[in-house]
Amino acid sequence: MIRKALLLFAAFAFIASAHAQFSVYGTVTLDHLSGIQSSPVLNVLSPPPCTGSVTTGCTAYKNSVDPIGFTGGVTYAIKNVGPVLLSADVRGVIESYHQGAQANAQGAGTRIYSVLGGVKASFHTPLRFVLPYVQGSVGYARSNYGVLTNAIAPSLNDPTYPGIATQGNIQYSGYGGIDLRIAPVLDFRMVEVGYGVLQETGTYSHSYPLLSVSSGFVFHIPPRQ
């Protein structure tokens, strides 16, 4: 999954280098994924008498996890509407963190892999080097929510971990941020804040709120005038 996401990002970067209306960005991203204690996954993992939303196998679980990773994407400028520049955006997020939702151990760790497409609106300001924006995106994500173990776990004959595989989700997210122009070819993405939901699409249907904070750089090829 990670290899495919990196290859996809590299392909977009190659395309961007050949067209003036493209920009390529990369950021470090910190997520806050919550809603874990009310997840139906924990009820499946919890054998009686430990069934419930807070404990699994008599192990306490936190309600949230905070994985950190990388966001890479490509933005294509469509048209100006007054002071607003409308663009199409495609991004991928890779997060794999050793700490899971177990209260007293690392456990399964936390993983989120997503690919999102959306529409971005950037606002021209009197200060040419300051470019705020908002964006709405939707796409597909896979996550273990900090609790699911690898699918090979049943081979270990450990009934505590039945080996539910990483689950598929529809992700909806809104973003807002500020880019600072450093040079015609380069912006500093000072901050981007996002809020959305991972909506599990399979057996364990559940909504996990997702808050993100990112910072990084945006490259324009060729340089802007």
Side-chain angles (χ1 to χ4, degrees), residues 63-155:
N63 193 50
S64 63
V65 289
D66 301 294
I68 188 170
F70 172 79
T71 297
V74 175
T75 303
Y76 174 67
I78 300 174
K79 64 180 301 184
N80 283 289
V81 181
V84 179
L85 174 62
L86 296 178
S87 305
D89 183 89
V90 177
R91 63 174 56 194
V93 182
I94 299 173
E95 293 180 318
S96 183
Y97 190 59
H98 67 273
Q99 183 66 54
Q102 290 84 350
N104 299 311
Q106 293 180 356
T110 304
R111 293 178 289 280
I112 302 175
Y113 310 125
S114 60
V115 177
L116 305 171
V119 177
K120 176 183 177 184
S122 304
F123 303 94
H124 300 289
T125 68
L127 299 175
R128 289 190 59 195
F129 65 91
V130 178
L131 191 67
Y133 66 89
V134 294
Q135 179 176 323
S137 297
V138 62
Y140 179 76
R142 294 198 67 83
S143 181
N144 70 338
Y145 321 119
V147 301
L148 302 180
T149 58
N150 293 329
I152 62 172
S155 65

Side-chain angles (χ1 to χ4, degrees), residues 191-216:
V191 64
E192 179 187 85
V193 178
Y195 183 77
V197 171
L198 293 188
Q199 177 62 56
E200 203 276 324
T201 59
T203 305
Y204 311 103
S205 181
H206 185 66
S207 295
Y208 300 85
L210 182 66
L211 174 68
S212 67
V213 179
S214 300
S215 183

